[in-house]
Amino acid sequence: MKVTLSALDTYESSFTPLVVIELAQDVKEETKEWLKNRIIAKKKDGGAQLLFKPLLNKYETETLEHHNLYLVGASQIRLLLGAEAVGLVKECNDNTMRAFTYGTRQNFKGFDVRRLLTSGIVIQVFPLHDPEALKKLEDTWYTRFTLKYQPIDSIRGYFGETIALYFGFLEYFTFALIPMAVIGLPYYLFAWEDYDKYVIFASFNLIWSTVILEVWKRGCANMTYRWGTLLMKRQFEEPRPGFHGVLGINSITGREEPVYSSFKRQLRIYLVSLPFVCLCLYFSLYVMMIYFDMEVWALSLHEDSGSEWTNILLYVPSIIYAIIIEIMNRLYRYAAEFLTSWENHRLESAYQNHLVLKVLVFNFLNCFASLFYIAFVLKDMKLLRQSLATLLITSQLLNQIVESLLPYWLQKKHGVQVKRRVQALKADIDVALYEQVILEKEMGTYMGTFDDYLELFLQFGYVSLFSCVYPLAAAFAVLNNFTEVNSDALKMCRVLKRPFSEPSASIGVWQLAFETMSVISVVTNCALIGMSPQVNAVFPESKTDLILIVVAVEHALLALKFILAFAIPDKPRHIQMKLARLEFESLEALKQQQMKLVAENLKEEPREDIKEKAA
């Protein structure tokens, strides 16, 4: 017999707040009462059957602000039944992976589940940090300032699988960069004019960019299988909160919900969004040409004077251009989010796919167009090295300051103000809880791993596309990522609100983005090899033969890349066998359920012929 919420008493005397809800200031009392009933009512009556109370009682709200803050909690039974409802796959005591059920909970190893609902009439909803668990996580995480030990399982237990996979990928990618950095350092000691000496380095780059992504798939499968999310099926997606349209009947669910014409959405995409993206790309190229004019001006000034001051001035155009690139990327990100939201996509997955496509196209052109122009049009390798080094180092420094250091300083300043206000309170309240809620309410909201993966994607591009010209690119990337791990950890624990945890089986569309970049790197490195003086010396007269050979080698390397991708399984063999066994057990359980249904319909015990029919 299936256990339901309505059949259990989920009352708990000790209220542990898990989520904070902030209502708008002009919300009516009737609306507050309706929301409260929807949260605490039993499941059979349409409620969430959670625990709910205001941060301040009605007497304290007369003298204190924040009277529209409410705390939501849940009983242990509610959390366990929620785990069963979302279909979490968990590890049993015998080390096998099975779908969790409340009735067999004693057979599973302990875990924490916090899947709570949100409301559409609130300003913000965010889960509270757990001070005790957060302190334990910090002690084993960023306070060590090292990559030797990243508590990925602890990160997953506190923040969820999506964020844990990002930190796991960041750690893996940093270690994968070390061979490139070690090989690149000796090459840096060679004369820069001896460009042909980097042919071997470019060839190693081709193999490296392919193998690391394939090996990551296996590591990712290992982690997600251990966490029980590798087989998690995407449930039926509800419409996005921002989706709007005329009321209609959903042909699949039969429910009344907003309906928006797909034809109108396509018109918005092709008549507004696409021209706007093209206009932004044109503006990016226009800014790039201004940058080259600045380079010509700085070079002519240096040739006229030849002083040390003008030698430093040669780097100024690249630094200014790198700063402008970062500003343009951030401004375009806001515009892309507005446009994608205006397109009115019904599902969150469709919204994310269109947003990622818009942002990746612009960022790729904005960050790498100048490097391609210098490499294959101007063919100035000295300027290419200078531009690549300046863009890479400047962007890394700006990201560290804007994403971590500045928000951390502002949050510390706000924390001092909150402590002073709390010390001045004379109300009879839980001071520690009140201080925590008010402090976390003003924290920044974590917008997901999009920007974090985008930063690594651009870094991977700088290293894989042109590091044969500037071998120190991988070394600077490793140094940046060592600090990136700790700064991102500090940001998650002390600067931003605790995000709702989301289950994930992989890094999603970013795997495809990195693989696409590795394909582009094959073409780029082959072209750079073909431009080297050593290769050109072999074909002093016929450039056509050289081009044909370079194209043939490029196709052969792409074929080798796809062969490697096919030869290296995405999942280790022991996981494939366990998945096959789990699928077989699921089929057996389905057969048993079918036999029970047939027996109940016939109101008799299952006979041999019924078993055969069900099978």
Side-chain angles (χ1 to χ4, degrees):
M1 176 180 174
K2 185 178 179 179
V3 182
T4 62
L5 277 172
S6 301
L8 296 171
D9 181 12
T10 58
Y11 171 78
E12 285 193 356
S13 58
S14 59
F15 181 88
T16 303
L18 302 176
V19 174
V20 177
I21 297 180
E22 182 184 10
L23 302 180
Q25 296 297 324
D26 56 351
V27 172
K28 298 180 180 180
E29 291 298 327
E30 306 86 70
T31 306
K32 294 181 183 179
E33 192 64 26
W34 173 84
L35 175 62
K36 175 183 176 181
N37 291 333
R38 293 285 294 178
I39 292 176
I40 67 175
K42 292 185 177 297
K43 192 73 176 291
K44 64 180 182 180
D45 299 327
Q49 204 160 341
L50 301 173
L51 308 176
F52 178 87
K53 77 171 185 179
L55 175 63
L56 304 173
N57 61 47
K58 60 181 181 180
Y59 302 105
E60 293 162 348
T61 55
E62 298 176 359
T63 58
L64 299 177
E65 54 182 342
H66 309 300
H67 57 278
N68 274 352
L69 290 173
Y70 294 86
L71 306 176
V72 179
S75 65
Q76 288 298 317
I77 295 177
R78 178 66 181 92
L79 294 176
L80 294 176
L81 289 173
E84 178 180 348
V86 299
L88 291 184
V89 178
K90 289 298 173 183
E91 187 175 7
C92 296
N93 294 325
D94 58 358
N95 297 323
T96 60
M97 304 296 293
R98 299 178 187 275
F100 175 83
T101 60
Y102 178 82
T104 60
R105 59 190 181 279
Q106 67 276 3
N107 297 330
F108 292 83
K109 294 183 179 179
F111 64 96
D112 183 22
V113 183
R114 296 181 180 182
R115 302 285 189 268
L116 300 173
L117 304 176
T118 61
S119 173
I121 64 172
V122 300
I123 295 178
Q124 60 176 335
V125 179
F126 59 93
L128 281 172
H129 280 288
D130 185 339
E132 183 178 348
L134 184 62
K135 181 65 169 60
K136 292 180 179 178
L137 180 61
E138 288 177 324
D139 290 341
T140 58
W141 197 5
Y142 67 86
T143 53
R144 302 178 64 134
F145 204 78
T146 178
L147 263 177
K148 291 182 179 178
Y149 172 70
Q150 286 291 297
I152 301 299
D153 288 334
S154 299
I155 298 171
R156 174 253 173 179
Y158 191 82
F159 289 109
E161 290 82 10
T162 299
I163 295 176
L165 281 177
Y166 161 70
F167 280 99
F169 181 75
L170 174 58
E171 175 186 342
Y172 170 80
F173 181 58
T174 303
F175 281 115
L177 284 169
I178 292 178
M180 287 284 289
V182 171
I183 295 176
L185 287 175
Y187 275 88
Y188 183 74
L189 301 176
F190 298 157
W192 285 119
E193 288 72 22
D194 295 339
Y195 178 65
D196 54 282
K197 295 181 179 179
Y198 298 101
V199 172
I200 299 177
F201 190 81
S203 303
F204 174 77
N205 195 350
L206 299 177
I207 301 174
W208 171 84
S209 61
T210 301
V211 172
I212 64 166
L213 294 177
E214 295 303 320
V215 174
W216 162 252
K217 289 182 182 179
R218 294 170 62 87
C220 181
N222 266 320
M223 284 192 294
T224 53
Y225 176 78
R226 188 173 69 251
W227 296 340
T229 59
L230 183 59
L231 292 180
M232 180 169 287
K233 305 295 184 182
R234 178 181 290 273
Q235 295 183 342
F236 175 76
E237 287 190 79
E238 295 288 342
R240 293 178 57 245
F243 176 71
H244 59 275
V246 297
L247 287 179
I249 303 299
N250 188 307
S251 58
I252 299 177
T253 63
R255 296 187 304 180
E256 188 179 44
E257 61 181 38
V259 177
Y260 189 76
S261 171
S262 176
F263 177 73
K264 291 182 180 179
R265 184 181 300 111
Q266 297 301 319
L267 287 179
R268 291 187 175 189
I269 292 175
Y270 292 108
L271 297 183
V272 179
S273 296
L274 183 59
F276 176 80
V277 172
C278 294
L279 181 63
C280 291
L281 296 177
Y282 171 78
F283 181 73
S284 174
L285 294 176
Y286 181 77
V287 172
M288 182 188 73
M289 300 312 297
I290 295 177
Y291 156 66
F292 287 126
D293 291 339
M294 293 173 59
E295 285 285 358
V296 172
W297 169 79
L299 182 61
S300 62
L301 186 63
H302 174 67
E303 290 176 349
D304 292 339
S305 63
S307 64
E308 288 294 329
W309 183 83
T310 55
N311 190 32
I312 299 175
L313 185 65
L314 290 175
Y315 292 90
V316 172
S318 297
I319 294 175
I320 295 176
Y321 184 52
I323 296 174
I324 292 176
I325 283 178
E326 290 299 317
I327 295 175
M328 291 174 61
N329 285 343
R330 295 182 185 277
L331 291 178
Y332 177 81
R333 169 70 185 276
Y334 294 128
E337 288 179 347
F338 174 80
L339 272 179
T340 310
S341 180
W342 179 73
E343 290 167 5
N344 198 26
H345 296 279
R346 181 178 179 273
L347 302 179
E348 182 66 26
S349 58
Y351 171 85
Q352 290 295 333
N353 290 338
H354 282 79
L355 177 62
V356 168
L357 181 61
K358 289 186 182 72
V359 174
L360 284 186
V361 169
F362 180 81
N363 277 261
F364 182 85
L365 184 72
N366 198 32
C367 295
F368 300 115
S370 61
L371 300 179
F372 279 100
Y373 186 82
I374 295 171
F376 302 114
V377 178
L378 300 180
K379 298 181 180 180
D380 188 343
M381 297 305 152
K382 183 177 180 180
L383 179 59
L384 178 61
R385 288 191 295 271
Q386 174 187 314
S387 299
L388 175 59
T390 307
L391 289 175
L392 177 63
I393 297 173
T394 305
S395 64
Q396 289 177 347
L397 290 176
L398 288 176
N399 284 325
Q400 292 285 357
I401 295 172
V402 174
E403 293 183 3
S404 299
L405 298 180
L406 182 60
Y408 179 71
W409 177 77
L410 294 175
Q411 183 60 31
K412 291 285 288 185
K413 184 178 179 181
H414 174 68
V416 173
Q417 296 174 353
V418 170
K419 288 183 180 297
R420 290 175 181 173
R421 288 163 54 189
V422 171
Q423 291 174 357
L425 292 178
K426 300 185 183 300
D428 184 17
I429 61 175
D430 187 343
V431 176
L433 177 60
Y434 180 82
E435 178 181 349
Q436 180 187 2
V437 172
I438 302 306
L439 184 63
E440 294 186 20
K441 186 181 81 72
E442 300 300 330
M443 285 182 173
T445 301
Y446 184 63
M447 304 306 295
T449 56
F450 185 95
D451 290 327
D452 298 317
Y453 279 119
L454 179 62
E455 184 179 348
L456 293 180
F457 172 78
L458 296 177
Q459 185 184 95
F460 179 70
Y462 285 126
V463 173
S464 62
L465 294 177
F466 301 104
S467 63
C468 63
V469 180
Y470 185 63
L472 285 183
F476 280 114
V478 170
L479 292 176
N480 174 79
N481 288 357
F482 268 101
T483 59
E484 183 78 15
V485 169
N486 295 278
S487 62
D488 282 353
L490 178 67
K491 176 179 66 176
M492 294 300 303
C493 294
R494 294 297 177 184
V495 177
L496 300 175
K497 295 184 180 73
R498 183 180 183 180
F500 285 96
S501 61
E502 297 179 1
S504 295
S506 66
I507 61 175
V509 69
W510 291 105
Q511 181 75 35
L512 177 61
F514 278 90
E515 290 175 352
T516 304
M517 181 67 80
S518 69
V519 172
I520 298 174
S521 72
V522 171
V523 180
T524 303
N525 282 275
C526 286
L528 290 173
I529 292 174
M531 291 169 56
S532 66
Q534 187 180 30
V535 176
N536 275 268
V538 181
F539 303 92
E541 297 179 357
S542 177
K543 297 298 180 183
T544 304
D545 293 341
L546 174 60
I547 294 174
L548 291 176
I549 291 176
V550 169
V551 171
V553 171
E554 174 255 328
H555 280 67
L557 288 174
L558 284 177
L560 176 63
K561 174 182 173 61
F562 292 121
I563 290 173
L564 284 174
F566 178 78
I568 302 176
D570 292 348
K571 302 178 183 66
R573 182 173 178 81
H574 71 280
I575 289 183
Q576 294 180 5
M577 296 177 63
K578 290 180 179 179
L579 292 180
R581 185 177 64 182
L582 184 61
E583 183 177 357
F584 174 77
E585 291 176 352
S586 299
L587 290 174
E588 288 297 317
L590 181 61
K591 290 179 181 179
Q592 294 294 330
Q593 187 178 7
Q594 290 176 338
M595 287 191 295
K596 277 188 176 182
L597 290 175
V598 172
E600 290 176 358
N601 290 335
L602 298 177
K603 294 183 179 180
E604 59 181 18
E605 293 298 325
R607 299 190 306 270
E608 291 300 325
D609 57 335
I610 297 179
K611 291 183 180 180
E612 294 177 2
K613 182 180 179 181

